Amino acid sequence: MRDGATSRIRLGMVGGGIGAFIGYVHRIASRIDDDYELVAGALSSDPDLAQESGRRIGLAEDRIYTSFAEMAAKEAAREDGIQAVSIVTPNHLHFAPAKAFLEAGIHVICDKPLTSTLDEARALAKIKPKNGAKFLLTHNYTGYPLVRQARAMVASGDLGIIRVVQVEYPQDWLTRPLSNKQADWRTDPARSGPGGAIGDIGTHAYNLARFVTGLKTAAVSADLSTFVEGRRLDDNVHILLRFEGNARGMLWASQVAVGCENGLQLRVYGDKAGLEWRQDNPNQMWFTEFGRPKQLLTRGGAISGDAPPIQVRLPSGHPEGYFEAFATLYSQFAQLIRSGDAACPDLPSLADGIEGMEFIAAAVRSSNNQSMWTSLSDV
């Protein structure tokens, strides 16, 4: 039997009902390290779908809710109520549930981007959580072991002074007009917010670059395009980045790049060395010191340079992937909840979410003004 310090955290979920992709991912990730037990849910705004979804995943009848507000109130009043909640809804339904659960003293795990608008993001930051409730934003790519390794190598000086950062995230699934549950809300400004591809995948690319390099963004020059006729939000994004300290960057995100499935990749170049990592082969990373042969680093394998090796879940040669990256965030957040610590530097925070929304707002403003250089601090 587990004691109070190691017992599973009682978890609820908002969104993620039948037909939803990301809710399934969160449920699997929460169980990989045996830190959580899903006990309650408001899985859909449709009462019938909420009930059927809850029954399918084995929730007790009295803990299947049809609204997040009812769930927050009733679970907060239960002696065995949920301790944390995962919010896996479209962007416009992040703010209200996050506010409700934080004010009820329940820890919040929220899918990215933080909200649909910058005003909502800033309003969320002003909330005073009851009983010190904590917040996690699931930028899941920060959970890959080699991404953590790259961050440590940059911080330890293995690459020297960072000069150039290139990050891209191309997909092709919206190359033609498409109407389904996943496409409809992502291309609807009322539900997605002012950004299409930039909000859905561009924020992932931006967060990855910031997480690995630690560079602070000074300004952006953006060209947001909509290639599919009739679409109301961008489906292709080109952005130049100026970082403090004179480093420069380029970001490309696209949902109309034919032949690309989920092509997130990062390249970072310093005055001593460079590194390259791809999400579709996440257990390998190229590291090259100037004037020396390229080195293939593997997850859990020997690491060159001064950075310490990153702890991994499986022995080297046994690949870790998308689910495990999510699980790393869930597991570390569980440690925070149990320890009562204020924060973990490797976990995406509310502040990261606000910066992501500032990035979207600055890019949209820049694109609307003929790609004029726009500071994140000006939005």
Side-chain angles (χ1 to χ4, degrees):
M1 180 179 294
R2 293 169 175 244
D3 59 29
T6 61
S7 59
R8 294 190 189 100
I9 292 167
R10 297 183 297 276
L11 181 68
M13 181 167 284
V14 177
I18 296 170
F21 159 68
I22 204 65
Y24 168 77
V25 172
H26 279 255
R27 289 193 291 272
I28 295 295
S30 71
R31 289 307 309 273
I32 284 179
D33 294 314
D34 209 25
D35 285 311
Y36 299 83
E37 181 178 4
L38 185 65
V39 297
L43 303 175
S44 174
S45 57
D46 180 304
D48 292 336
L49 188 57
Q51 292 290 334
E52 178 61 23
S53 298
R55 293 188 188 105
R56 284 196 185 187
I57 60 176
L59 297 182
E61 290 289 336
D62 65 337
R63 302 185 83 170
I64 300 174
Y65 300 94
T66 56
S67 82
F68 69 82
E70 177 191 16
M71 177 175 161
K74 289 188 175 180
E75 288 295 320
R78 291 179 66 124
E79 185 175 347
D80 63 346
I82 60 171
Q83 298 159 283
V85 65
S86 294
I87 299 173
V88 293
T89 54
N91 303 351
H92 72 298
L93 295 175
H94 287 183
F95 173 77
K99 179 177 184 294
F101 285 99
L102 288 174
E103 290 179 339
I106 295 169
H107 306 291
V108 170
I109 301 166
C110 184
D111 207 52
K112 48 57 59 190
L114 180 59
T115 53
S116 61
T117 68
L118 180 55
D119 286 344
E120 283 185 342
R122 289 172 172 165
L124 195 60
K126 294 178 181 178
I127 293 171
K128 294 183 178 179
K130 184 178 179 181
N131 299 330
K134 304 179 188 304
F135 188 93
L136 169 67
L137 187 70
T138 53
H139 272 298
N140 59 293
Y141 299 109
T142 65
Y144 279 104
L146 281 178
V147 168
R148 300 283 180 93
Q149 190 69 54
R151 174 182 167 96
M153 293 173 72
V154 170
S156 68
D158 290 349
L159 277 70
I161 298 171
I162 302 304
R163 292 171 168 172
V164 177
V165 181
Q166 295 187 322
V167 63
E168 62 184 57
Y169 200 156
Q171 301 173 338
D172 70 357
W173 71 292
L174 290 178
T175 294
R176 294 180 178 174
L178 179 65
S179 181
N180 62 34
K181 184 175 182 177
Q182 300 302 322
D184 290 350
W185 75 260
R186 284 176 168 82
T187 56
D188 178 6
R191 290 180 283 176
S192 182
I198 190 173
D200 191 28
I201 56 177
T203 49
H204 267 313
Y206 177 73
N207 178 263
L208 179 64
R210 285 277 289 109
F211 180 81
V212 169
T213 68
L215 296 172
K216 186 173 182 180
T217 307
V220 301
S221 172
D223 181 16
L224 276 57
S225 306
T226 307
F227 284 105
V228 174
E229 185 176 356
R231 184 165 291 160
R232 291 178 289 170
L233 291 172
D234 60 275
D235 50 28
N236 190 84
V237 178
H238 288 95
I239 301 177
L240 296 177
L241 302 163
R242 286 179 180 168
F243 298 105
E244 294 181 0
N246 205 40
R248 295 293 186 264
M250 297 172 60
L251 184 152
W252 172 45
S254 182
Q255 292 166 323
V256 294
V258 175
C260 295
E261 295 175 339
N262 205 60
L264 177 63
Q265 58 181 304
L266 174 71
R267 297 177 291 277
V268 182
Y269 305 102
D271 65 349
K272 291 169 56 178
L275 59 80
E276 306 170 40
W277 178 84
R278 295 179 57 99
Q279 192 273 156
D280 56 10
N281 191 10
N283 293 278
Q284 297 183 349
M285 179 169 67
W286 288 102
F287 175 66
T288 309
E289 296 177 281
F290 180 67
R292 301 186 65 179
K294 293 170 72 77
Q295 302 175 61
L296 181 61
L297 309 183
T298 58
R299 183 201 55 78
I303 299 295
S304 298
D306 298 326
I310 300 299
Q311 184 176 2
V312 297
R313 184 177 282 104
L314 298 172
S316 58
H318 298 77
E320 290 189 22
Y322 186 73
F323 285 116
E324 290 88 352
F326 263 105
T328 294
L329 303 190
Y330 266 87
S331 180
Q332 287 190 315
F333 194 57
Q335 294 173 31
L336 274 187
I337 292 172
R338 290 171 179 144
S339 69
D341 292 342
C344 170
D346 287 337
L347 285 178
S349 65
L350 186 60
D352 294 311
I354 293 171
E355 183 183 340
M357 296 307 300
E358 291 172 344
F359 165 71
I360 293 172
V364 170
R365 179 180 294 184
S366 171
S367 186
N368 289 340
N369 287 278
Q370 298 182 325
S371 302
M372 178 180 67
W373 282 101
T374 303
S375 170
L376 270 64
S377 62
D378 289 338
V379 294

